[in-house]
Amino acid sequence: MLIQFLLIAAVVVLLVFFLKNHGTTKTAAGVKIGFLLFLVLAVIAVLRPVEVSKLAELVGVGRGTDLLLYALIVAFGFQTINTYLRFKELELRYARLARAIALRNAEPPAHGDAPAPVTGAAAQGVAAEGLVAERVTAERVDDPAHTA
């Protein structure tokens, strides 16, 4: 059926377009144009339902309501992908902002607040734990996938 090809092609094109270009001005303009086009087609479907039924028969769907349902499924998928990518971008921005604020507001420890020195075998264990903790912390800061 022609409709199956059209629906699969629409989903693939939307997915590739938004994963490749998300966050750019071109994508934002495309979203606005797509939304405006969707609204115009919705008004046409309400005013001229016979035309929607003819278009449905042309692409191999039995009724115009089925065609509208398929279009809404594609639109919902588009909206879901768009929202997911936007939230993912916002989470990354918040994590970077929190790190910048934490680094900006960090205060060096005061001399009177320094812990008492540890001596003997306990000092070797504390030093080893400190090296491991520093290494893990450095790896987390350098890892772009680590957002918290």
Side-chain angles (χ1 to χ4, degrees):
M1 279 185 159
L2 179 62
I3 188 64
Q4 292 171 335
F5 174 75
L6 292 175
L7 290 172
I8 292 172
V11 169
V12 169
V13 167
L14 285 174
L15 183 64
V16 169
F17 178 74
F18 282 101
L19 290 178
K20 185 177 178 184
N21 299 318
H22 187 72
T24 64
T25 307
K26 180 180 176 183
T27 305
V31 169
K32 290 177 184 175
I33 291 171
F35 182 68
L36 182 63
L37 181 64
F38 189 76
L39 289 178
V40 168
L41 292 175
V43 169
I44 291 171
V46 169
L47 295 177
R48 314 268 324 239
V50 174
E51 302 299 327
V52 176
S53 293
K54 288 180 183 177
L55 180 61
E57 290 175 12
L58 181 69
V59 295
V61 178
R63 301 179 304 169
T65 55
D66 293 338
L67 180 63
L68 290 176
L69 177 64
Y70 296 149
L72 286 174
I73 290 170
V74 172
F76 178 74
F78 155 75
Q79 181 61 34
T80 303
I81 292 169
N82 193 27
T83 302
Y84 168 74
L85 292 174
R86 192 172 346 136
F87 281 150
K88 186 177 172 183
E89 182 181 325
L90 284 174
E91 284 179 0
L92 182 61
R93 280 184 175 181
Y94 285 148
R96 289 179 180 166
L97 179 62
R99 285 184 192 136
I101 290 171
L103 290 173
R104 183 180 301 155
N105 294 337
E107 297 178 8
H111 292 293
D113 292 341
V118 180
T119 58
Q124 292 175 351
V126 169
E129 288 177 12
L131 289 176
V132 171
E134 287 177 11
R135 189 176 310 135
V136 169
T137 303
E139 289 172 0
R140 285 186 179 168
V141 170
D142 294 339
D143 184 11
H146 184 73
T147 58

